Amino acid sequence: MLNTNIISVSNYQSDENLIILSDKNKLDWAQTLLAARELGMLEKLAKEDAPYVVLNSGGRWIIVEFSADKADTALRAEAMRRNGGNRIAQLRNVKIDAATLVNHAGENLSAEYAEGLILGNYKFIKYFKQADKQASVFATLRVLDSSLSATELDNIKIITESVCIVRDLVNEPVLYMDAVQLAKEIETLGKAAGFHTEVFDKAKIEAIGMGGLLAVNMGSKIPPTFSIMEWNPENAKNSKPIVLVGKGVVYDTGGLSLKPTANSMDYMKCDMAGAGLVIGVMYMAAKLGLPLHIVGLVPATDNRPGENAYTPGDIIKMYSGSFVEVLNTDAEGRIILADALHYAKQYDPAFVFDFATLTGAAAVAIGPQACVIMGNADDKIKNMIKASGHETYERTVEFPLWEEYGEDIKSDIADLKNVGGSYGGAITAGKFLEHFTDYPWMHFDIAGVAFLHKENAYKVKGGTGFGLRLMRNFFETYLKNI
Ligand code: BES
Ligand code: ZN
Ligand code: ZN
């Protein structure tokens, strides 16, 4: 849930809490606002290169944030976001009803600061008996910055709200967020934002033969769902749709190949973060009214070792007609995604992106600093993704999909097997997915970035919503280049 109300103002009262974005060398705004002693302190700290100054002036908070000395705009923007998130963390024990953000920095980075502050102010409070006592630091953020238009401010609201929707979906435990509930959330969000939804139940999934999704679901008491979201405004600029696919494993025990490492199951409610992201992106696209035709696909189930669970050694017939030898039931994400990727073919898509907490190998390779991408989309699309990743600081690193890696997933007795060898695990998972595509496609392995175990500025603990801001930036660039 978005915890901060953001409004535009044109002035502030003398008792309001202030957050002032400032250039270190231009402190003239402070002359009339601060007492001589406070001004002296501010000037001294600015000279000493302090990144920020917190003053409590007669019960009123005045926080001054200095712009970072970095040559790259994207790095300065990220520093601002981090400042926002860090200040919220520092003020967590002080309840401040409202504050006014004033831009005296000369550079237009108040949007980024507000973004960091609002995202850092997020808290998942549903499961506290006294939820109201868990309230966030700020209830209201007023923004005083004439360079920020009303639309831009509304957009910040939509984007931060969408990130928080993804976080909520991820933070919900499976006891509540099972595959059926996830489909209901999709329907509710579709109604709220204005995108179309259709949900296939188990009977329909059986009727069309999504054998991968059904196999993973066999150990579960709860039926699978396959949800289709569509945003197709009249002014859509793309003739062929963009299709987004999200891994919706609402909980991953590993199935009969039960997760082997101690505690590795503790956070496996996050295994639907790819689905959460696709849902959030659809919500954002509809709320922003993006002139793009976008389809979102979410195959959903839990992965459990119930009595009829699919087994290592099983051979399953996929929706595409290919047969897969299952050698590890914990490599389930690729199996349900494969059916969704095959389903995507009917749209004759411009390109397909899939998002999935797919492999521990991706997380081990680069940690929480970036997500792993791979695919066969053209360089134009790849470069746009990489540039958007840099600009939003939701960075991406491309792994190769060389032919040789395909050898690792060849089976002696079926078309494919669902695991490769000991090396290149993120890539062999990607190779598996590639088999089910016949269009320009990119795979985003978000296993390392979707869920954090410790707070990191505006990226709070738990679900991060990683990818939402990246996709927004990507869509804007794509629209300019279409
Ligand atoms: N859901 C996991 C991957 C994962 C790991 C997500 C860590 C988030 C954090 C996935 O289904 C899985 O279990 N992958 C296996 C594949 C292996 C059996 C080939 C893995 O990465 O160990
Ligand atoms: Zn797994
Ligand atoms: Zn999984």
Side-chain angles (χ1 to χ4, degrees), residues 59-79:
R60 166 203 212 189
W61 292 94
I62 299 183
I63 300 166
V64 183
E65 302 279 359
F66 295 123
S67 321
D69 295 324
K70 292 183 194 293
D72 186 325
T73 325
L75 298 186
R76 286 201 301 280
E78 174 64 2

Side-chain angles (χ1 to χ4, degrees), residues 110-186:
S110 47
E112 283 75 7
Y113 188 87
E115 205 171 77
L117 193 135
I118 295 168
L119 292 178
N121 205 23
Y122 168 88
K123 252 185 144 186
F124 185 62
I125 55 173
K126 183 177 162 192
Y127 295 101
F128 287 100
K129 192 170 173 187
Q130 289 180 296
D132 53 332
K133 293 232 163 85
Q134 298 293 326
S136 307
V137 178
F138 290 104
T140 304
L141 179 70
R142 302 187 195 96
V143 179
L144 179 68
D145 183 351
S146 54
S147 61
L148 211 59
S149 70
T151 320
E152 282 173 302
L153 210 65
D154 277 348
N155 290 353
I156 299 175
K157 207 184 288 185
I158 292 170
I159 283 130
T160 49
E161 186 192 8
S162 305
V163 174
C164 294
I165 285 172
V166 183
R167 289 177 175 183
D168 281 348
L169 291 169
V170 173
N171 289 332
E172 278 287 0
V174 66
L175 191 59
Y176 172 80
M177 193 64 76
D178 58 28
V180 175
Q181 184 60 35
L182 187 65
K184 283 188 194 151
E185 305 278 336
I186 289 171

Side-chain angles (χ1 to χ4, degrees), residues 247 252 254 259 271 303 329-333:
K247 172 177 172 182
D252 186 9
K259 287 207 169 284
D271 215 14
N303 181 27
T329 62
D330 197 11
E332 83 299 337

